[in-house]
């Protein structure tokens, strides 16, 4: 599991749209799609359902989201501590 995959997952969850999440992360949509596909393959679960309204979290995605957010927060805190 890579940091970029987790960042991508969280961005998609927050934006509800793959294109907007890719813009926020400054990556291409195909690159973000590949990150999500790799994460879903590693976890063995679909994290989103794709619809005409955008990306909606599955039950597995909703369960994983708080852990992903905490992991990113812990890394931000660690970076800040090192920078001090």
């Amino acid at each position: 599991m890579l940091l970029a995959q987790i960042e991508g997952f969280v961005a998609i969850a927050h934006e509800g749209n793959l294109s907007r999440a890719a813009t926020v992360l400054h990556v291409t949509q195909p690159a973000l799609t590949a990150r999500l596909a790799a994460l879903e393959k590693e976890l063995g679960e679909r994290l989103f359902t794709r619809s005409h309204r955008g990306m909606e979290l599955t039950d597995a995605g909703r369960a994983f989201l708080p852990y992903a957010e905490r992991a990113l927060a812990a890394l931000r805190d660690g970076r800040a501590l090192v920078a001090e």
Side-chain angles (χ1 to χ4, degrees):
M1 194 172 307
L2 301 175
L3 176 59
Q5 294 169 340
I6 296 171
E7 287 174 331
F9 165 72
V10 171
I12 296 167
H14 288 181
E15 295 297 323
N17 179 284
L18 196 68
S19 296
R20 285 194 305 265
T23 299
V24 167
L25 294 173
H26 306 289
V27 299
T28 64
Q29 185 174 341
L32 185 54
T33 299
R35 289 179 188 183
L36 177 60
L39 181 60
E40 288 178 328
K41 182 177 180 181
E42 185 171 340
L43 294 173
E45 292 287 338
R46 300 284 310 247
L47 300 172
F48 294 95
T49 56
R50 288 103 172 134
S51 72
H52 65 280
R53 292 186 315 225
M55 305 284 282
E56 297 178 13
L57 288 166
T58 62
D59 289 342
R62 278 189 294 281
F64 185 64
L65 182 59
Y67 294 95
E69 290 171 329
R70 282 196 300 267
L72 293 178
L75 290 170
R76 278 192 304 272
D77 292 347
R79 278 189 216 131
L81 183 63
V82 168
E84 289 176 1

